[in-house]
Amino acid sequence: MQATSSPSPLPALLLPAIAVICAVCALALGTSYAKQLFPVIGAQGTSALRVGMSALVLLILWRPWRWPISTIDLHAVVRYGLALGCMNLMFYMALRSIPFGVAVAIEFIGPLAVALYYSRRRLDYLWIALVVLGLALLLPIRSSAHSLDPVGVAWAFGAAAAWATYIIFGKRAGHLHAGQSVSLGLLAASFVVVPVGVVHAGAALLQPEILLFGLGVAIVSSAIPISLEMYALKRLPRETFGIMLSIEPVVAALAGLVFLHETLSSAQWLAILCIMLASIGSIASAHRARR
């Protein structure tokens, strides 16, 4: 008799779910510590150190040259990596003047816009309304003690646009082994970010303590989250994985509060929750529509 497949039991999903939560926390922790390098080497130098070290660690870990790659796929990976580099650089530039959690919330507009653009459901207008409400609460359209720096907001929107581009190019390289595409993508990203960091920070990047700190940031904010996410992606439904990643703005805001002493107003917390709920709702409703 042929066995019938059954849904994954809860215990089988528990470890992958914990892996996603740990990945989000590691990313928030690594970025919080990376921001402490800003007074020494600036946002540009910090981004260069993180991306360059991450590329080095993942190249050693995955050794992507073990798998053959066509010229077309290599071009797709390079475009994906260039978008990744722009996203990282602009996000770190945003962190100079706006809180961590707010920057992540604005950056989330990128993937959410891609999801909503390709959808044609009426329910999506609700998620768009939540995003508009969140942005209305966040953007510096009024002067108050908690108003945001317009330049930092502009950099965060640039990072959101780069994230959307990164998703589109990443799909074209999605058939490759994840270790190969991510490591080669980060190598391409380093060609965008590292020269900018070198021009800005110069020889300060070569100080042993800075290099060691950068290596720790790269491992915590890139190598560990990427490895945990790859583990979880193989064991969780894609929609569940996406919904769990939607907690990232809240985790970032909490990390900013604990490690960077960044306080947010009640309106900013409400804005972050609106954008997070829009992300969760968009993913969940798309899953129901496919079913």
Side-chain angles (χ1 to χ4, degrees), residues 11-230:
L13 299 177
L14 186 58
L15 281 179
I18 292 173
V20 176
I21 295 172
C22 290
V24 171
C25 292
L27 180 59
L29 180 64
T31 305
S32 298
Y33 278 106
K35 192 172 180 179
Q36 298 178 22
L37 287 174
F38 283 16
V40 183
I41 57 175
Q44 300 93 324
T46 305
S47 180
L49 206 58
R50 180 205 168 182
V51 172
M53 286 290 190
S54 298
L56 183 61
V57 169
L58 290 177
L59 284 171
I60 294 172
L61 178 65
W62 289 110
R63 292 170 291 162
W65 51 86
R66 293 180 297 166
W67 298 283
I69 185 170
S70 67
T71 303
I72 294 176
D73 287 340
L74 183 60
H75 289 167
V77 169
V78 168
R79 289 192 292 268
Y80 152 80
L82 295 178
L84 177 61
C86 292
M87 180 182 74
N88 274 274
L89 179 59
M90 288 190 281
F91 179 72
Y92 273 66
M93 295 295 285
L95 287 182
R96 295 181 305 172
S97 56
I98 64 176
F100 183 18
V102 172
V104 172
I106 295 175
E107 191 187 31
F108 252 72
I109 302 300
L112 187 54
V114 172
L116 294 175
Y117 176 80
Y118 287 106
S119 175
R120 295 294 183 270
R121 299 180 307 273
R122 290 184 179 180
L123 185 59
D124 289 328
Y125 290 109
L126 173 60
W127 316 133
I128 293 172
L130 277 174
V131 171
V132 171
L133 174 60
L135 291 178
L137 292 169
L138 278 180
L139 298 185
I141 55 179
R142 62 198 183 283
S143 88
S144 69
H146 289 276
S147 62
L148 300 175
D149 172 49
V151 176
V153 170
W155 281 117
F157 271 107
W163 195 352
T165 308
Y166 155 85
I167 290 172
I168 294 170
F169 288 145
K171 286 183 180 296
R172 299 176 185 175
H175 60 283
L176 300 175
H177 186 279
Q180 182 186 38
S181 58
V182 170
S183 55
L184 291 179
L186 273 168
L187 179 62
S190 66
F191 285 102
V192 174
V193 180
V194 171
V196 176
V198 170
V199 169
H200 178 81
L205 289 172
L206 299 178
Q207 298 177 33
E209 61 273 17
I210 297 295
L211 287 173
L212 186 61
F213 197 99
L215 178 61
V217 167
I219 292 173
V220 174
S221 64
S222 291
I224 291 176
I226 287 172
S227 300
L228 289 173
E229 287 174 4
M230 287 173 64

